[in-house]
Amino acid sequence: MPARSAASAASDAEDLLRGANLRVTRPRVSVLTAVSDNPHADTDQLIGAVRADLGDVSHQAVYDVLRVLTAAGLVRRIEPAGSVARYESRVGDNHHHLVCRSCGVIADVDCAVGETPCLTAADGLGFVIDEAEVTYWGLCPACSSAAAIATSST
């Protein structure tokens, strides 16, 4: 898929903000674009991307925007065990994640059995379930290849 232009990315972000009845501001557009362009980025990575776009912006401003975007459902916050919070713009489809135990890379994976059957718990205990988080842990292809090479050479 071809890379989108900065103007196109900003326009998309503005449309999403308006659709969520949020005021369109430069920091919100920049953070939303940064999350979209850097799936599973942590706040430090996002702050770097926003600063590259806007210049000097405070950590608190980025944290505040991430909080607003998450509350509005435009951004999803994930926090795999042992990891800092990470953000993604893929929302509303209840997908899951693969996490490499070695290098920490995170990848999206669709629900294993289709639509969203993982939202049907064996016993929901009266809860109205609207989201399920499944995290698969293992080694990514690069790390598993490196582990195999290291094992065979010893």
Side-chain angles (χ1 to χ4, degrees):
M1 177 162 72
R4 60 191 177 151
S5 71
S8 173
S11 177
D12 291 347
E14 290 172 7
D15 290 345
L16 286 170
L17 290 165
R18 285 186 188 100
N21 293 317
L22 294 174
R23 199 165 45 94
V24 175
T25 64
R26 289 183 63 221
R28 286 179 178 175
V29 169
S30 185
V31 171
L32 191 53
T33 301
V35 171
S36 179
D37 290 347
N38 303 284
H40 310 122
D42 63 29
T43 51
D44 286 341
Q45 293 166 322
L46 294 171
I47 289 166
V50 171
R51 284 182 174 164
D53 180 36
L54 297 180
D56 192 33
V57 64
S58 72
H59 282 73
Q60 192 59 51
V62 174
Y63 283 111
D64 290 346
V65 170
L66 286 168
R67 183 182 39 74
V68 167
L69 297 177
T70 301
L74 297 178
V75 166
R76 182 177 176 192
R77 175 189 163 128
I78 62 169
E79 198 167 346
S83 175
V84 297
R86 299 183 177 263
Y87 296 87
E88 64 183 349
S89 60
R90 185 175 170 186
V91 296
D93 65 351
N94 206 64
H95 68 280
H96 307 304
H97 296 97
L98 299 161
V99 180
C100 180
R101 290 184 190 277
S102 180
C103 69
V105 72
I106 300 173
D108 291 335
V109 62
D110 291 327
C111 192
V113 289
E115 289 290 310
T116 53
C118 53
L119 294 181
T120 306
D123 183 353
L125 302 171
F127 281 69
V128 177
I129 300 170
D130 62 10
E131 183 177 2
E133 272 190 36
V134 176
T135 304
Y136 299 95
W137 293 88
L139 295 177
C140 69
C143 290
S144 63
S145 294
I149 292 169
T151 301
S152 68
S153 67
T154 56

